[in-house]
Amino acid sequence: QVQLVESGGGLVQTGGSLRLSCTASAGSTSTRFDIGWFRQAPGKAREFVTWISVSGNKAYSKFARDRFTISRDNTGTTVYLQMNSLKPEDTALYYCARFTRGNHIYPSAYDYWGQGTQVTVSS
């Protein structure tokens, strides 16, 4: 059973930074997965943020490209999302998920999801 746990969310002022973490566990199997980050604001659809492959390839949405950075630790178990220059419109519940197949910008390409971590940016 794959489990993903996000952490690092919180309340920050406009222009501030946060680093989110996504830690994977999978019993006795490998935890090196391609991982994506999505976010969902109240009343809005879940939105692609960024993605990283096991080999280190990365992809970003347009809004994340210049301000957010995805990375993973040496074990590959934890994926980080460094978010800088945060704006009130970045306020959302942020999820990480395991990529399986298809286009990484769509939620349907992922099978396991974490519970999310709340990011709130005050103006």
Side-chain angles (χ1 to χ4, degrees):
Q1 179 72 15
V2 174
Q3 289 188 322
L4 300 170
V5 179
E6 303 96 336
S7 62
L11 174 63
V12 65
Q13 292 185 333
T14 296
S17 299
L18 284 173
R19 189 177 80 157
L20 308 184
S21 299
C22 171
T23 301
S25 62
S28 60
T29 61
S30 170
T31 55
R32 292 184 64 84
F33 309 129
D34 295 356
I35 293 289
W37 283 95
F38 285 75
R39 68 185 187 183
Q40 189 166 20
K44 295 189 176 182
R46 195 163 293 192
E47 177 180 41
F48 172 73
V49 179
T50 183
W51 167 90
I52 187 168
S53 72
V54 170
S55 60
N57 294 322
K58 303 174 185 179
Y60 294 93
S61 62
K62 287 183 179 179
F63 67 80
R65 190 164 297 141
D66 296 327
R67 301 183 293 124
F68 296 179
T69 302
I70 192 170
S71 62
R72 64 195 316 152
D73 69 355
N74 291 336
T75 68
T77 300
T78 299
V79 171
Y80 302 103
L81 176 59
Q82 177 68 42
M83 305 188 296
N84 299 325
S85 301
L86 284 163
K87 306 174 182 180
E89 51 263 45
D90 294 317
T91 295
L93 192 59
Y94 283 71
Y95 298 91
C96 66
R98 186 179 77 163
F99 173 79
T100 55
R101 63 179 62 85
N103 191 324
H104 56 258
I105 70 171
Y106 297 120
S108 59
Y110 300 79
D111 56 356
Y112 288 95
W113 293 77
Q115 293 300 306
T117 185
Q118 179 67 40
V119 171
T120 303
V121 185
S122 63
S123 57

